[in-house]
Amino acid sequence: MNRSTLRGKPRPAAALLAAAITVTAFCAADAVARSYPFGPRTRAVNDLGNQYVPFHAHLWDLLHGRADGGLLVNWQSGFGSSFLPDLGTYLSSPFALLVALFPRDEIDLAVYVITVLKTACAGAAMAWLLLRLRPGRWWAAGLLGSAYALCGWSLADASYNPMWLDGLVALPLLCLVGEWALSGRRRLLGVLIVALAWIANFYTAYMATLGAGLLLLLRLWLSGLPRRRALAAAGRATTTVALGVGLAAPLVTVVYFGTKHAYPGRVTHFAPVATEDVLARLLPTTYGFGSPALFVGTTALLLALALPFHRAAPVRVRAGWSLLVVAVALSMQWTPTHLAWHAFATPNGSPYRQTFVLCALLVIAAWHTLSYGVPARRALAAATALLALAAAVASRSGLVHSYAWPVLLLATAGALGGLLLLRHTEAARSTAPAATRAGSLPGAGGGPEAARIGPATAGIGSTAGTGAAAGAGGRGRGVLVGLAVVLLVGAQVGEAAATSAAATRLRLNHLDDYAPWGDRQRSQSEAVSEADGWPAYRTDPGREQTVGNDPMVVGGQGAQYYSSLTADVLSRTLTALGDGWTSRGRNVQSLDNAVTDAIFSVGARVHSPPDQHQRWNPRDSTPVTVSRQDVPPLVTVRPAPAPGARTGVSAFGPSPYRNQELLLGTRVYTVPALTVRTADGEQPERAAGDRAGTVIEVPRTKGSGAQGSRGRTAAASRPSIAAQCPAGSEVYLWAPHFSGTARLTDTPARPLTGRFTSDAAKIAAMQRLGTAPASGRVRIELSPTRTGTVPDGAVGCLDTARLRTAVQRLEETGADEVTVSDGTVRAQLPAGSTGTAVLAAPRIAGWRCAADGAETKPAATYYGLVAVPLDGSATSVTCTFHPPGLRLGAAVGGASLLTLVLLGTLTAVRRRRSARHPALRTAGTTATRPRERTTSAL
């Protein structure tokens, strides 16, 4: 690309440079950290491994026609979950479609490439915006564009929450939409960009819209437009946003209503972090999960700090941008404005998700500084002093590690060196002969065009002057500018790569991490594929999970499901049946239980060893196996409930064994009285509060003493539970708030080891421990890892013969044939069926059913499942699912589309009339600034 090309197309050149720097630094950081795909360390931490990779795997299956379900219902997760809200939350970005280009077993690589591509596009969009806001050096715009893309929020937070990166891309694009509204241009494109941003990820698009609105208000104030024209521009921007959001309404409203029906999870309250932690996150290589990642690179930070002292910039510009940056920074620390940034709900997890907006404002302020010429030495000295003061305050923060200081010093040296070299070249140009300057700048005769491009085009982009002296001086300045570019780009790439590598390594120390696709997932997927019989029965991928959404990764149709939109009815139903969960109820797990398998038609179950990637799991190399059992069909017929009887989730009692029997319709469990003893053989204390039961404590270490046990732990004497079960019954233990292992003793059969995990954010699932001996005396030995509780009625003894009889009865009266297609379930029933037809799927909002060809009505509920009353005349039932909010969103979207068409037609008519009356058109254009067009109705 030669210089004439760069002068003619600076914005594409800047965008390409920003993308190139971003990709280089991002990948170099992962190579330094030895992270996937450049090293052995996994990058699938927290929600990246639990949610984003599995959801992209499910999208791959959808795009290739291999998924169980469609856009409306995901039949693989949660025994049938609403998929459109998940699509709008995790997968509606246009970038997500790229997963279809990768092999299925390279889904982790696909998500990584999408992450890199989103980040690069954010940098390119910002570079384009900077040159739209102010003319300047194309390479400087590219450098600052990459500074935005490689900001701390992007590297530390959004890199493992790739859906947030759509907001990083959207913000500069929405700012461009504001610029077009200011000048009255590209109305249709502006509406489409707003719609696309809100469709891609409405959560961060909301924050980006607020940020773009603040930038537009400042631009209106700085422009000095008359009030009437300023209000007209603001009206155009408001209309553009309203129409764009309206076009996105079919998806946005579905997601909104999905949150209203989701399990509430944890209610958090915002607490601002300390000032030293905020300032620390401005520095490279700092990391902290609950603090705002404000790093934008030392060059951008120095330029932003120099703006108030840069006398070449107008006072109004210096004051406006500086005050906006400070105001947004303060708004992040004040609870009311914090809530406004986060749609009036403090999020679970990082409380500073709007940080990318402040990073963008810092970069734009830096660009305004540079666009008026490189700051003088005094301004740079003042900025350096402010940076040193911030670093001194930040040194008291625990987020600053020792390696941050050499990185900061090197980056500061590179940034100051590059800026001072540029300043020197500008000074050399200003002392050049007037004739030389006139020859090197077209249009330099003192007109407005020369004033506009004068300081901004110094350095690269200047042409050779006339004469040998001018040529020699130009070559010398070119060398200095090239050296400055090397220093600035090198500092940016180096500190960004170091910051990203540090964040990647530090995340692994405090977040859960998961292995990428490998032999374990491949074996599970093959086992599921061989056993799959959907929709005749479900195949559960197993209790020993790899991630929180195994069914979407390896296939099958199980209970396991993790989403921000996990339905309240699903979580409460499975909890009442003895299931466990993490993430405070939003990550329900598989429940390995014969009764619930019968209830939910799980005819095949995969059994895998514990995930060996997790260091706390026991070492186990047993192969993957599959167990099968006869189960009723997906639709069964149950007796009609008594008039006035409760059949919702609220009808469940405290015992999961009795709740399972309620759904099964038959008594199959014996729930014996328990005798619980501590490791010393004493009766433990009773639990206080709402957790009825006995307290189980970790056995204390016994020191040397009269008993002669030198340092011996109570390994041979552990807490225990004694009960009396029918001989040959299967023994289950339900202890949701117990952590540790449980094992049957004094039994001839090989017992199983039940592993339980619970804390403030998770509860343990019911576990099968083995078979009761002929004597019926059951003793369960507990090995707690922390203090917990065992509830009353914790042991259940399952009569497998009664269960088989109940299953046979449900098979005989159940549906003869069941067909499932996306959001529609049809079942053929035996003639004369009466009572209630029950679909083994959670009764989430949106189900409507009908018997035979009758009018569909909202489905009834049968203890949390979908139900249809039968009167004996129907031979079939049909249930259809439409997510709540879809009709409302479609209506709003249709109205927005119609309005857009009408306004577009009106604009076209006005243009045609203007073309027929050129005198009127000329009169209208002379009253406005160049590029200001006000003929549109938008």
Side-chain angles (χ1 to χ4, degrees), residues 3 424-425 428-429 436 459-460 462-483:
R3 291 186 176 184
H424 177 73
T425 60
R429 284 182 60 84
T436 301
I460 289 183
S462 62
T463 58
T466 59
R475 285 192 295 271
R477 288 193 298 271
V479 172
L480 292 179
V481 170
L483 180 59

Side-chain angles (χ1 to χ4, degrees), residues 288-617:
F289 179 75
S291 57
L294 295 171
F295 167 79
V296 290
T298 306
T299 300
L301 183 58
L302 282 173
L303 289 172
L305 292 175
L307 180 58
F309 312 101
H310 191 21
R311 294 184 177 181
V315 175
R316 199 177 180 93
V317 171
R318 287 186 277 164
W321 283 104
S322 300
L323 289 175
L324 180 60
V325 169
V326 172
V328 172
L330 293 176
S331 73
M332 297 171 62
Q333 294 287 83
W334 189 38
T335 300
T337 46
H338 157 84
L339 292 173
W341 279 112
H342 294 92
F344 303 97
T346 297
N348 292 322
S350 173
Y352 291 98
R353 301 182 182 184
Q354 81 280 36
T355 304
F356 71 99
V357 176
L358 181 54
C359 293
L361 294 179
L362 285 170
V363 168
I364 295 173
W367 173 250
H368 277 78
T369 301
L370 197 58
S371 68
Y372 288 99
V374 179
R377 286 186 172 88
R378 290 183 179 180
L380 288 177
T384 305
L386 288 177
L387 176 59
L389 178 62
V393 176
S395 64
R396 298 180 297 176
S397 171
L399 304 180
V400 181
H401 300 273
S402 59
Y403 48 76
W405 302 117
V407 175
L408 176 62
L409 290 175
L410 288 174
T412 304
L416 286 176
L419 292 175
L420 289 174
L421 283 175
L422 286 179
R423 178 68 185 175
H424 177 73
T425 60
E426 286 189 355
R429 284 182 60 84
S430 64
T431 58
T436 301
R437 290 202 307 271
S440 62
L441 278 176
E449 182 66 16
R452 182 179 71 83
I453 65 175
T457 53
I460 289 183
S462 62
T463 58
T466 59
R475 285 192 295 271
R477 288 193 298 271
V479 172
L480 292 179
V481 170
L483 180 59
V485 172
V486 170
L487 286 174
L488 293 174
V489 173
Q492 175 69 34
V493 171
E495 63 179 332
T499 301
S500 180
T504 299
R505 296 290 296 271
L506 292 172
R507 275 197 301 264
L508 293 173
N509 294 335
H510 76 276
L511 294 178
D512 294 338
D513 61 272
Y514 307 91
W517 181 279
D519 293 338
R520 176 182 174 85
Q521 293 91 333
R522 188 175 297 105
S523 299
Q524 291 174 327
S525 180
E526 292 173 354
V528 168
S529 179
E530 293 176 1
D532 191 33
W534 175 259
Y537 59 86
R538 287 184 168 105
T539 300
D540 194 303
R543 167 75 195 147
E544 290 292 347
Q545 67 183 46
T546 307
V547 297
N549 277 301
D550 275 351
M552 285 191 275
V553 177
V554 301
Q557 312 84 28
Q560 194 188 72
Y561 178 48
Y562 181 25
S563 169
S564 298
L565 305 171
T566 300
D568 180 81
V569 63
L570 170 66
S571 186
R572 295 188 187 279
T573 298
L574 292 179
T575 301
L577 299 178
D579 197 11
W581 44 251
T582 62
S583 299
R584 289 177 168 82
R586 292 190 172 182
N587 184 1
V588 292
Q589 301 173 345
S590 174
L591 181 57
D592 190 354
N593 178 275
V595 178
T596 54
D597 281 353
I599 293 170
F600 290 101
S601 189
V602 178
R605 176 173 290 277
V606 176
H607 301 274
S608 305
D611 183 10
Q612 301 300 288
H613 176 78
Q614 307 300 344
R615 57 186 178 275
W616 55 79
N617 281 336

Side-chain angles (χ1 to χ4, degrees), residues 108-193:
D108 298 273
L109 179 61
V111 174
Y112 181 83
V113 171
I114 290 172
T115 301
V116 175
L117 186 58
K118 285 184 180 182
T119 310
C121 287
M126 177 56 75
W128 196 287
L129 170 67
L130 295 179
L131 287 172
R132 178 65 177 80
L133 293 174
R134 287 276 304 166
R137 301 175 176 87
W138 67 270
W139 60 263
L143 177 68
L144 291 178
S146 68
Y148 167 71
L150 297 169
C151 67
W153 180 87
S154 170
L155 300 176
D157 296 334
S159 61
Y160 69 95
N161 292 281
M163 67 178 186
W164 293 355
L165 289 171
D166 291 290
L168 194 73
V169 179
L171 178 55
L173 294 179
L174 292 175
C175 291
L176 280 172
V177 172
E179 290 297 302
W180 298 336
L182 187 61
S183 59
R185 305 170 64 227
R186 296 188 174 98
R187 298 101 178 173
L188 177 60
L189 182 58
V191 172
L192 295 179
I193 287 178

